[in-house]
């Protein structure tokens, strides 16, 4: 029976193929694609984010705060992508920093976003919070060591300002009901 054109699974993979954690590299790539698709599924449509008709000044500072909270929850993945794109674009003129950024992104993908099993060091399970804190600290330290400190901090500030301004100006009436309980507890209206 011919196997031409079929994708091997872990049970039918070649016996001499290297295995990563008991799974073939093809299994890892398949899981990575599935997890990436799941993560991107939480992203809201860009048209919804850029809807000109949903922009308006909030009547009060308290209302602006509620809008920011609701929109940060509703557009969380979109806002993360915006900040990452701003940082990436700022690093285009710093090639060493860009390489370090890309290497750190691979580390994040492998150690945080795409892993199936918890990390075990010296027989102890390392929690997700610890992995997140260590990866964030290592990424920040490595990027700051490349000499692009001002560039990175400025781009992070620009990304943060863009996100907060958009979140404050975007009317969140239709976002609030579906986000309650997902990221925050509802604040009673006064």
């Amino acid at each position: 029976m011919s196997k031409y054109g079929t994708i091997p699974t872990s049970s039918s993979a070649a016996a001499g193929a290297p295995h990563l954690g008991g799974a073939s590299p093809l299994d890892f790539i398949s899981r990575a694609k599935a997890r990436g698709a799941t993560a991107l599924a939480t992203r809201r449509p860009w048209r919804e984010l850029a809807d000109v008709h949903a922009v308006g000044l909030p009547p009060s500072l308290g209302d602006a705060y509620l809008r920011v909270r609701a929109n940060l929850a509703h557009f969380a993945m979109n806002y993360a992508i915006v900040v990452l794109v701003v940082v990436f674009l700022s690093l285009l003129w710093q090639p060493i920093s860009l390489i370090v950024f890309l290497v750190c992104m691979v580390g994040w993908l492998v150690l945080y976003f795409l892993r199936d099993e918890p990390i075990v060091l010296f027989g102890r399970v390392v929690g997700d919070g610890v992995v997140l804190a260590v990866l964030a600290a290592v990424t920040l330290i490595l990027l700051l060591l490349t000499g692009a400190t001002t560039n990175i901090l400025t781009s992070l500030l620009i990304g943060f300002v863009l996100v907060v301004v958009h979140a404050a100006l975007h009317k969140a009436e239709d976002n609030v009901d579906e986000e309650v309980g997902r990221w925050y507890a509802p604040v009673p209206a006064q």
Side-chain angles (χ1 to χ4, degrees):
M1 177 186 218
S2 173
K3 292 186 179 180
Y4 179 75
T6 61
I7 298 173
T9 61
S10 59
S11 61
S12 63
H19 291 288
L20 300 173
S24 72
L26 189 59
D27 288 340
F28 179 77
I29 292 170
S30 297
R31 283 193 315 272
K33 285 174 64 176
R35 285 189 176 212
T38 302
L40 285 177
T42 62
R43 179 185 57 83
R44 302 296 178 177
W46 292 105
R47 278 185 195 206
E48 184 182 342
L49 183 81
D51 184 12
V52 180
H53 302 294
V55 174
L57 288 174
S60 68
L61 192 59
D63 190 45
Y65 172 73
L66 291 176
R67 280 188 188 184
V68 168
R69 254 176 93 162
N71 284 327
L72 284 177
H74 188 72
F75 295 114
M77 182 62 74
N78 299 73
Y79 288 153
I81 291 170
V82 167
V83 171
L84 285 174
V85 166
V86 169
V87 171
F88 179 79
L89 291 175
S90 75
L91 292 176
L92 286 177
W93 291 271
Q94 303 278 339
I96 300 299
S97 297
L98 184 60
I99 291 169
V100 169
F101 180 74
L102 293 174
V103 167
C104 288
M105 289 299 284
V106 169
W108 276 84
L109 286 172
V110 170
L111 295 174
Y112 190 71
F113 292 112
L114 301 179
R115 64 183 165 86
D116 291 327
E117 298 89 24
I119 295 176
V120 178
L121 285 178
F122 305 114
R124 301 191 71 132
V125 175
V126 180
D128 281 344
V130 174
V131 173
L132 180 66
V134 169
L135 282 172
V138 167
T139 301
L140 187 62
I141 289 168
L142 288 176
L143 284 173
L144 295 178
L145 288 177
T146 63
T149 305
T150 306
N151 192 9
I152 293 165
L153 294 177
T154 303
S155 65
L156 284 173
L157 181 64
I158 289 169
F160 177 75
V161 167
L162 284 173
V163 165
V164 170
V165 167
H166 179 273
L169 294 178
H170 193 275
K171 295 176 188 168
E173 286 82 24
D174 49 342
N175 303 351
V176 176
D177 291 337
E178 63 188 57
E179 300 300 328
V180 168
R182 179 173 163 206
W183 296 94
Y184 63 90
V187 177
Q190 297 176 358

